[in-house]
Amino acid sequence: EGSNCPVLPFPLGRDIGRARKMAAAILKRRSREAQQAQFDRDALAIGRKLRLAGITEAEVARQLDALTPAVNVELARQQHGRRQA
């Protein structure tokens, strides 16, 4: 029997591929304001997709909260790697 409970395809805090992609897009922006706007756009789009999939607002917030540090780690990693090159 089916369940009415939506399932997250993958926890966002552990989705390194998504965090890397977001970090790369952020680093293409020059100003802090543009970088923040890029993150906000990406997070808004992800939240929208989760809501459309039936994920509760509380879970969307938890997932986006978990994604933020993953993106920050990737930003630091990519910036450090860029300086090394």
Side-chain angles (χ1 to χ4, degrees):
E1 288 181 33
S3 170
N4 290 344
C5 207
V7 176
L8 277 175
F10 198 79
L12 293 180
R14 296 179 183 204
D15 190 344
I16 302 306
R18 183 184 308 265
R20 283 183 182 153
K21 183 177 177 183
M22 286 178 69
I26 289 167
L27 289 174
K28 288 179 182 175
R29 306 294 179 231
R30 295 202 183 270
S31 71
R32 289 273 183 217
E33 294 80 12
Q35 290 174 341
Q36 184 63 53
Q38 179 67 49
F39 176 83
D40 292 345
R41 275 191 303 277
D42 288 346
L44 186 65
I46 292 166
R48 193 176 307 120
K49 287 179 185 177
L50 291 174
R51 287 181 199 93
L52 286 172
I55 306 300
T56 66
E57 192 60 38
E59 186 59 29
V60 169
R62 274 192 291 277
Q63 290 301 312
L64 292 175
D65 285 348
L67 179 62
T68 301
V71 172
N72 287 333
V73 166
E74 275 305 308
L75 283 169
R77 189 188 69 75
Q78 290 181 28
Q79 287 174 321
H80 180 72
R82 185 177 293 167
R83 281 194 293 268
Q84 296 287 340

